Amino acid sequence: MPQTPRFSTTRTRIAGIPISELVERFATPLYVYDAARILERIDDLRAFDVVRYAQKANSNLTILDLMRRQGVLVDAVSAGEIRRALAAGYQAEGTPPPIVFTADIFDRQARIVAWEQEIHVNCGSPDMIDQWGAVSPGSSITLRINPGFGHGHSQKTNTGGEQSKHGIWHEQLSEALQRARRFDLKVSGLHMHIGSGTDLDHLAQVCDAMERAARRVGPSIHSISAGGGLPVPYDDQQDYVDLDRYYRLWNATRQRLEQRFAHPVSLEIEPGRYLVAESGYLITEIRGIKSMGDNRFYLVDAGFHNLARPILYGAYHPMALAVDDDDRPRPDQEVVVGGPLCESGDIFTQSEGGFVRRQRLPEAQVGEFLVIEVAGAYGQVMASNYNSQPLAAEVLIHQGQPFLIRARQTFEDLVRGETKGMDALETGA
Ligand code: LLP
């Protein structure tokens, strides 16, 4: 546990800017990211040869561009993510490949875009090897292996073991290599990702499995990827993993492989959450306060259409009431925080299974602002338009200035592509 609490139940500023100013300029609900926090997290990982950002955590174009300018490479899991990476200025080709497409299937669009752009492909299923070999024989691929075990912060984020759909099952490696040979595909690297938000012991177990698999593939291996999964603290009981130890374990694995193959082997890491989670804040306005029996509810203008982690995983997010520097101290109370959606699961304070729990927050009034913290990863990217709610605006604070990096959706955005009613069908208009 950290010595001094990391989180407080009140907050005046984000990255030096008063919350009142952000709200006045950009309205709520609002995602705000602190660029300096992202830069710090990138620097933590500089020991690895390649830091490859898993953009599924937050794929805003400006965030991707920031990563690119820091020398961080990128992972893509769909045609849309490949196109985002290109739009943010990543080159398609290079050594190491700037963009890697990692998936368990190619949907038709993804295979076309990957092929047209000559994107490096990391195959997570035997069928992907055949489907890629058919259009791109002779190219280099990497294989994502499921080592037979996994671990995540929730069963839903565990990506290893036989209940997981991810990766090529470790016992089918030889068969996968045979398939690759049929198309003259060179297996230039291996990749393992056992889960998201796991702990050091589980993360470290992957090293052995990787070494065994790489020895079976042989000297065509020039890179190994430890995947993502690095946790960040979401409350004062949690802490960071020991990154030095993590790096040393992987580096030792890499060195043994280099000795065996007598050539360099590049060591990659593929974090999403670690790079962006703590940079992000979701600012909401309290629009109603009411009591239901013993439960006191703060009802805010953001819901699971903005941040789905609580309803999906029972995930805990620290929250703070926005206050002014000269505000009187206020007593904390145990409250339930819910959103505006017409669905009873629209509660930010819930545990896995949907059980409502309470969180300590200061006494507040309608019209005040609540900041949901550590919301930069898997926040806006998992948002939806449920209840015809627009996606929130996003702001990046860079060198003391807030910049709008995504405009709030309008009603026109919401209905784009829909036909305007039955008249259009009947008249063909
Ligand atoms: N690499 C692969 C192949 C992955 O599947 C993932 C995450 C990552 C890297 C990045 O994992 P990270 O470093 O962010 O833990 N929506 C969930 C997380 C799902 C993660 C899916 N894959 C959440 O909000 O916790």
Side-chain angles (χ1 to χ4, degrees):
M1 211 200 291
Q3 308 266 293
T4 45
R6 200 169 266 128
F7 300 108
S8 156
T9 56
T10 57
R11 165 176 288 281
T12 52
R13 287 154 202 272
I14 295 174
I17 311 222
I19 293 163
S20 49
E21 205 178 302
L22 291 165
V23 163
E24 208 167 297
R25 242 181 101 181
F26 303 104
T28 59
L30 179 69
Y31 269 104
V32 177
Y33 309 111
D34 175 1
R37 222 41 195 312
I38 300 177
L39 301 183
E40 266 174 41
R41 291 293 164 259
I42 295 172
D43 281 342
D44 293 345
L45 301 176
R46 294 270 183 213
F48 290 83
D49 299 324
V50 172
V51 179
R52 187 175 296 286
Y53 174 50
Q55 65 168 295
K56 73 199 84 186
N58 186 332
S59 53
N60 182 289
L61 289 178
T62 304
I63 303 272
L64 292 183
D65 191 26
L66 180 154
M67 297 285 178
R68 185 182 64 80
R69 286 165 194 244
Q70 293 300 311
V72 172
L73 305 185
V74 73
D75 167 63
V77 299
S78 64
E81 284 195 355
I82 295 175
R83 297 185 63 178
R84 275 185 180 274
L86 294 169
Y90 280 97
Q91 299 293 311
E93 290 176 83
T95 312
I99 306 172
V100 167
F101 177 77
T102 293
D104 298 295
I105 59 161
F106 280 116
D107 59 43
R108 290 180 185 273
Q109 197 55 29
R111 190 171 71 153
I112 291 169
V113 175
W115 180 74
E116 280 175 355
Q117 301 290 338
E118 300 185 43
I119 301 294
H120 179 92
V121 167
N122 183 25
C123 298
S125 297
D127 289 313
M128 265 184 90
I129 301 174
D130 295 347
Q131 289 163 8
W132 189 245
V135 292
S136 197
S139 58
S140 281
I141 56 169
T142 43
L143 300 181
R144 176 180 180 177
I145 306 297
N146 178 335
F149 58 87
H151 190 250
H153 69 77
S154 146
Q155 190 45 36
K156 292 176 191 154
T157 65
N158 176 347
T159 58
E162 56 181 45
Q163 289 194 17
S164 165
K165 64 176 177 157
H166 295 294
I168 293 170
W169 187 245
H170 59 115
E171 289 165 341
Q172 289 167 14
L173 179 55
S174 310
E175 185 203 320
L177 294 174
Q178 263 171 32
R179 285 187 191 230
R181 270 196 296 275
R182 232 173 274 152
F183 298 98
D184 194 25
L185 295 170
K186 292 164 201 62
V187 177
S188 63
L190 291 182
H191 168 280
M192 286 184 190
H193 170 83
I194 57 159
S196 191
T198 177
D199 54 47
L200 185 59
D201 292 340
H202 283 96
L203 283 168
Q205 280 177 23
V206 183
C207 294
D208 285 342
M210 174 66 88
E211 192 173 337
R212 263 178 283 146
R215 288 162 73 124
R216 271 165 56 203
V217 179
S220 68
I221 297 289
H222 284 83
S223 74
I224 52 173
S225 170
L230 290 179
V232 298
Y234 284 91
D235 64 38
D236 282 325
Q237 272 69 53
Q238 299 171 344
D239 216 337
Y240 298 99
V241 296
D242 180 346
L243 279 179
D244 285 342
R245 209 182 120 207
Y246 184 60
Y247 174 75
R248 282 199 307 273
L249 286 165
W250 272 107
N251 193 34
T253 304
R254 173 258 291 277
Q255 284 172 343
R256 283 193 294 277
L257 291 173
E258 285 181 332
Q259 257 173 11
R260 186 176 176 93
F261 300 150
H263 63 62
V265 173
S266 158
L267 177 56
E268 292 204 2
I269 188 169
E270 194 177 75
R273 185 188 317 275
Y274 187 78
L275 295 180
V276 289
E278 297 161 290
S279 77
Y281 302 81
L282 174 58
I283 309 181
T284 70
E285 184 182 356
I286 300 175
R287 300 293 302 162
I289 296 181
K290 61 182 179 182
S291 292
M292 301 293 208
D294 284 345
N295 278 331
R296 191 157 175 77
F297 282 76
Y298 288 180
L299 296 182
V300 300
D301 64 359
F304 74 66
H305 60 294
N306 300 113
L307 178 66
R309 301 192 70 255
I311 193 173
L312 283 177
Y313 320 115
Y316 176 95
H317 280 266
M319 295 185 211
L321 186 72
V323 293
D324 290 333
D325 288 325
D326 52 1
D327 249 15
R328 64 183 166 85
R330 307 186 203 188
D332 276 351
Q333 23 180 274
E334 296 272 339
V335 296
V336 176
V337 179
L341 299 180
C342 194
E343 178 149 339
S344 47
D346 187 24
I347 296 289
F348 286 116
T349 50
Q350 59 179 295
S351 29
E352 202 150 9
F355 299 100
V356 166
R357 57 168 186 77
R358 297 174 185 170
Q359 193 155 330
R360 283 196 87 70
L361 278 169
E363 198 175 79
Q365 284 170 11
V366 169
E368 291 191 297
F369 297 95
L370 193 68
V371 183
I372 305 180
E373 308 197 348
V374 200
Y378 306 108
Q380 178 83 314
V381 283
M382 293 175 74
S384 74
N385 288 131
Y386 188 39
N387 282 194
S388 289
Q389 294 276 5
L391 293 188
E394 293 179 288
V395 163
L396 180 74
I397 302 178
H398 178 54
Q399 296 174 345
Q401 294 298 319
F403 297 93
L404 185 66
I405 60 169
R406 178 188 189 121
R408 186 176 307 285
Q409 276 187 327
T410 61
F411 174 72
E412 287 67 35
D413 295 331
L414 277 183
V415 296
R416 178 164 302 131
E418 290 182 39
T419 50
K420 292 231 176 67
M422 291 303 291
D423 281 355
L425 276 60
E426 282 163 11
T427 62

